[in-house]
Amino acid sequence: IWLLDRDGEVFRHIIDKLYQTYSIDKTRVYPTGFSNGGMITRQVANRFPELFAAISLWNAPFADSFDELLSSGSEIPCFICAGDNDNKVSWNDLNRESETDSPMKFIPDEVYTGENYYTKANKYTDGDRFQTLVYKKLDGQARVCFTIMKDMPHGAVYDESRAAWAFLKRF
């Protein structure tokens, strides 16, 4: 299990070692993580945003993620993926009442589905199961994408990695 206070600094060392060994481009590092790995990915990216170009969280609890990502001051792009039948992730948190007096809803700037984005023509085999809520920055670039996979428990399918990479590689 990952713990930010204990393990957070290791990511900087891993990136430095990869640079020394393989001469990676440090401006194009994209951490991803599944479940608890997704949670540490978000936490490390919020604490050390200068290390990463964009991040992708898979099936990670994110009850606080959206607020944290928006309020952290970081502009790091984030692709979040989870199944609608995943008991570790609650999609209802996107449209919850805020803790202030006024209700706060997160309305996406765009919605990608199997009809308009995840099509067979674009080589998605499970595209009809996808719905991605896209939230953009003021300059029009996508900042956060929440992808919901229909009929999916705590797991993943190949098309999710293709969708995540299609998002990440822009940064």
Side-chain angles (χ1 to χ4, degrees):
I1 192 163
W2 292 96
L3 298 171
L4 181 62
D5 290 337
R6 181 190 70 199
D7 304 319
E9 284 290 335
V10 75
F11 291 87
R12 184 180 313 278
H13 298 293
I14 290 170
I15 292 167
D16 287 342
K17 184 68 173 174
L18 288 169
Y19 178 75
Q20 291 168 3
T21 305
Y22 301 105
S23 299
I24 66 164
D25 181 350
K26 284 186 175 184
T27 67
R28 297 199 62 188
V29 175
Y30 314 98
T32 65
F34 182 87
S35 196
N36 182 259
M39 194 164 52
I40 192 67
T41 296
R42 173 184 47 82
Q43 292 171 339
V44 170
N46 281 331
R47 184 165 295 171
F48 308 108
E50 70 280 2
L51 295 178
F52 310 113
I55 62 174
S56 180
L57 324 175
W58 292 40
N59 299 73
F62 67 85
D64 62 340
S65 294
F66 199 75
D67 291 331
E68 183 180 354
L69 285 167
L70 292 176
S71 66
S72 69
S74 167
E75 291 283 323
I76 192 162
C78 181
F79 188 88
I80 299 172
C81 226
D84 63 352
N85 291 330
D86 188 339
N87 62 2
K88 301 192 181 343
V89 178
S90 174
W91 289 102
N92 292 327
D93 288 332
L94 278 177
N95 289 316
R96 70 187 184 287
E97 295 284 326
S98 71
E99 294 179 14
T100 63
D101 293 332
S102 63
M104 186 167 121
K105 304 282 186 189
F106 296 110
I107 300 169
D109 296 300
E110 290 184 67
V111 178
Y112 299 157
T113 66
E115 294 175 6
N116 67 6
Y117 187 85
Y118 300 110
T119 64
K120 298 240 186 258
N122 287 332
K123 298 185 170 93
Y124 284 93
T125 56
D126 287 307
D128 59 326
R129 296 172 62 196
F130 281 76
Q131 180 182 42
T132 298
L133 310 175
V134 182
Y135 301 88
K136 295 183 177 184
K137 298 187 308 182
L138 292 177
D139 67 4
Q141 269 201 320
R143 165 105 191 311
V144 177
C145 292
F146 283 100
T147 297
I148 305 161
M149 186 74 175
K150 293 178 193 167
D151 303 319
M152 188 68 170
H154 196 65
V157 297
Y158 174 75
D159 278 350
E160 287 173 299
S161 63
R162 293 187 65 239
W165 179 239
F167 174 79
L168 294 172
K169 70 181 179 181
R170 294 186 270 175
F171 306 97

